[in-house]
Every structure is written in C-alpha cells, then in structure tokens.
Amino acid sequence: MTIREPQQERSRATHQRLLEATIECLADRGWSGTTVGVVAQRAGVSRGAIQHHFPTREDLITSALEFMFDHRMNEVRIAAEGLPFGPRRVESVVVRLVDYFTGVFFKAALQVWTAAAADAALRERVLPLELKFGRKIHQVAIELLDADDEDPTTHRLVQATLDLARGLGLADVLTDDSRRRSEIVKTWAAHLSTALSTVDEPEVANNF
Amino acid sequence: MTIREPQQERSRATHQRLLEATIECLADRGWSGTTVGVVAQRAGVSRGAIQHHFPTREDLITSALEFMFDHRMNEVRIAAEGLPFGPRRVESVVVRLVDYFTGVFFKAALQVWTAAAADAALRERVLPLELKFGRKIHQVAIELLDADDEDPTTHRLVQATLDLARGLGLADVLTDDSRRRSEIVKTWAAHLSTALSTVDEPEVANNF
C-alpha cells in the first residue's frame, strides 16, 4: 500500500501536466498545431501513454478543456476569497473575471470554438461544454458579487459583465491590451456597483 | 469608349463577388478551409484570374477583410441615417453595432485573428488591420451616438460598448444567441443612454 500511493500521486501529476500542456499548446500553436505528438513532447510523456487514456485528439482536447476550466474556476473563487464587500469588491471581482477571459485557458478555448465553427462534428462535442462553462461562470460571478440572480436586471447586468469580459479577452489575443482594458474595467465596475446597489430599490429599478 | 464602360463595370462586380466569396468562405469553412481553389469555385472565377490580382492566399484574404470592412461600416452608417435623437437612438445605434459583430464579416475576421494568434507572419499582416478596424468602428460609434469623444468617461463607455458587442459576437459563433442578446442589448443601451446624458453635468460625472 505504501508503494501504491506515490505511484497514484505520480500518475495524477502526469495526467494534470498532460492536460495543462494541451491547453498551452492550443493557445500557442492553435487548433491545427495541437497534435498528440506535439503535446506528448511538451508534457514529456509518450504518444502511446496519451492514446491509452485519450483515443483521439478530440478526446484529449475536450478533456483538457473540461478539467482546466474547473481548475480555473476554483482559482477565480480562491482569488476572490477574503475580499471585503462594497464597491471595491465589485471592481476586484470584475478584475478576476476579466483575468479569466484574458488568460491562457480562454486563448486555448478560442482556438477550439473557432475550429468548431467550421466543423460540424467538433461543434457537437463543444456545444455541451459551452453551455456548461457559460452557466458555471455566471454562477461564480453571481456568488462572488453576492448578487440576486432572481432579479432580472441583476441577471442581465451580470451577463453583460461576462460578455464585456469575453470581448476584452478577444481584444487581447493578438496584442497586449492591458492598459486600455484596465480603464474600461474600472469604468464598468463603478457602473455595475452603482447599478447593483440600486436594484433593490423598486423606484429606481425601472431606470435600468 | 461605350464598349469599355460595361467591361469595367463587369470587372468591378467580379472583384466584389470574389472578395464577398472569400469572406463567406472564411465564416463557413474556417481559415484552413479557405483556399484559393475553394474561393474560385464559389465566386465562379478561375484560379488564374484570382492569382493574377492576389499572388497569395494571404493577399486575397487580407484584401477581402479590408474591402468588406469598409463596406460593412458604410452599411452601419446608412442604417443609422435618419434615426431620431434621444434614448431610442442610443438603443438603435447599439443594435446596429452589435449586428456588425454578429454578422458574417465578424465570423470571417474571427477565423483570421484566431489563426494569426498561432502564426507570427500572419499576425504581422493582421495587426495593422486590427488597429485600423478598431479606430474606425470607434469613430463610427462616436459619430452615430453623437457623443463627445474628448470626454474620458464617454470615450471609455463607447469602448466598453464595442467590447461588449465583440463579446456578444463571440457568444453567437456556435449557436444562435439572439434571444439572450436582445435583452442584454436593451439593458446596456438604457444604461449607456443615461450615462451619456449625465456626462455633461460635472456634479454627476464623477459617479462613473
């Protein structure tokens, strides 16, 4: 038993390294450049070992997306733990959500989504992931903003925040857009903070 | 002379059909599926005729992006002509800007931008286009919203509107997102309209 445990630990570490390498490879080399061979080399594992767990390239890539998305959402949650409540919190949460859309994971997912736009079979595989990711990040945003998702205005403002963050992510794909982005994030966070705090007051709610 | 005119007219029509076919092909079949041969067939012209004007696939694609972008911006401007001023105008303008980001042109550009993320030579060609398109659409938005771009808050709110529109465009690539989108556009436009109308009042401006 004492021998098996380190082995299982090692095997789990290899598995995670493989999925991380897949995401990094997608972000750097794109959909067509992300072959099992290239990922194997980057992760330092054999092609055979990969193909044992993931029979096709598509299996490897969609598994990497699922695993790493959960990992990233945990990171966003952990980064937001202990933030004080109030207007500064809204800005910090928006910053963390935007960080997700400008990170390596989003750049990798973009490669897969864009390839899926021109490939019906891939689209079928990716659509459930898109649905899952969209629901989950909305739920995380609501939780971190401590917002009432039952309120239709709040629901839409949080959706708009995530759509804005997605657009900022896309604007960062070819160039470092961080300076421009930080100004926009500040401006929107201030708006969102005001809007969310007035949503509870029925007299004001109709203005939005 | 009377013979040359119809010929020039025909040649211009062929040129435009070719560039339109390139954009449609990118949106449908993606970057790697958009070869000179496929575009030639779709546009009903010979490969040789295309290669006479556009020696490489990259020349054809970047020319198509430039030409069709200008064409789309004109369409956005024309669609906004004659709109009344006031809150309803802001919503109509936002709808038209979002239409641009959810149309075939954006889906085509997305294929090229995503390919450029993993291809340094293509990135060098695409960066000047990204800069040009970004500036131009911001200018069109400012003009149609009749907004004061010298005001820093207005400048950032218009940028945020375009980033939101870009994010909504990306959310529409694999599925028809129009129902969800129309609610978000309404909510955002109402906010933007209120924010733009209060920017002139210095006492209120600091809230944003």
Side-chain angles (χ1 to χ4, degrees), chain B residues 100-167:
Chain B
Y100 161 71
F101 283 99
T102 51
V104 171
F105 180 82
F106 175 79
K107 289 174 170 68
L110 179 66
Q111 291 290 336
V112 181
W113 266 230
T114 306
D119 177 338
L122 182 60
R123 188 157 58 238
E124 287 307 303
R125 295 194 68 151
V126 163
L127 280 176
L129 292 183
E130 182 176 55
L131 194 67
K132 181 191 156 183
F133 293 179
R135 283 185 182 156
K136 183 69 180 185
I137 196 161
H138 185 87
Q139 185 194 323
V140 168
I142 287 285
E143 183 191 313
L144 297 185
L145 291 166
D146 194 31
D148 175 15
D149 203 32
E150 301 281 307
D151 176 83
T153 301
T154 300
H155 180 77
R156 285 198 292 272
L157 284 170
V158 171
Q159 281 186 315
T161 302
L162 294 170
D163 286 307
L164 170 75
R166 193 184 301 110

Side-chain angles (χ1 to χ4, degrees), chain B residues 1 13 46 61 68 75 85 94 103 110 119-120 131 140 159-160 199 202:
Chain B
M1 291 298 275
S46 73
I61 289 176
M68 291 304 291
E75 283 177 355
F85 283 82
V94 173
L110 179 66
D119 177 338
L131 194 67
V140 168
Q159 281 186 315
V199 154

Side-chain angles (χ1 to χ4, degrees), chain A residues 4-155:
Chain A
R4 284 193 66 81
E5 274 182 8
Q7 253 181 4
Q8 284 181 344
E9 194 56 46
R10 234 184 1 257
S11 151
R12 200 163 55 201
T14 305
H15 191 250
Q16 179 159 347
R17 196 167 69 240
L18 177 61
L19 299 181
E20 274 170 3
T22 306
I23 295 299
E24 286 163 14
C25 193
L26 281 165
D28 283 1
R29 308 182 87 168
W31 168 258
S32 57
T34 304
T35 61
V36 173
V38 169
V39 173
Q41 199 173 19
R42 193 185 273 245
V45 297
S46 72
R47 274 179 77 107
I50 296 182
Q51 282 163 336
H52 178 70
H53 290 285
F54 307 104
T56 69
R57 186 168 88 105
E58 283 72 16
D59 293 328
L60 172 65
I61 289 175
T62 52
S63 298
L65 286 172
E66 273 210 275
F67 178 85
M68 293 303 293
F69 175 77
D70 290 339
H71 197 72
R72 288 293 291 121
M73 284 302 106
N74 277 339
E75 283 177 354
V76 171
R77 272 204 176 110
I78 289 166
E81 263 175 23
L83 290 176
F85 283 80
R88 301 296 302 169
R89 181 180 173 95
V90 171
E91 187 177 320
S92 302
V93 170
V94 172
V95 165
R96 272 148 191 87
L97 293 170
V98 170
D99 280 351
Y100 160 72
F101 283 100
T102 51
V104 170
F105 179 83
F106 175 79
K107 288 175 170 68
L110 179 66
Q111 291 290 336
V112 181
W113 265 231
T114 306
D119 177 338
L122 182 61
R123 188 158 57 238
E124 287 307 304
R125 295 195 66 152
V126 163
L127 279 176
L129 293 183
E130 181 175 55
L131 195 65
K132 182 192 156 182
F133 294 179
R135 281 185 183 157
K136 182 71 181 181
I137 196 160
H138 185 87
Q139 184 194 323
V140 168
I142 287 286
E143 183 191 312
L144 298 183
L145 291 166
D146 192 32
D148 175 16
D149 203 31
E150 301 282 307
D151 176 84
T153 301
T154 300
H155 181 78

Side-chain angles (χ1 to χ4, degrees), chain A residues 111 114 156 163 180 187 191, chain B residues 111 156 163 180 187 208:
Chain A
Q111 291 290 336
T114 306
R156 284 197 291 272
D163 286 308
R180 186 188 78 95
T187 304
H191 260 276
Chain B
Q111 291 290 336
R156 285 198 292 272
D163 286 307
R180 186 188 77 95
T187 303
F208 299 105

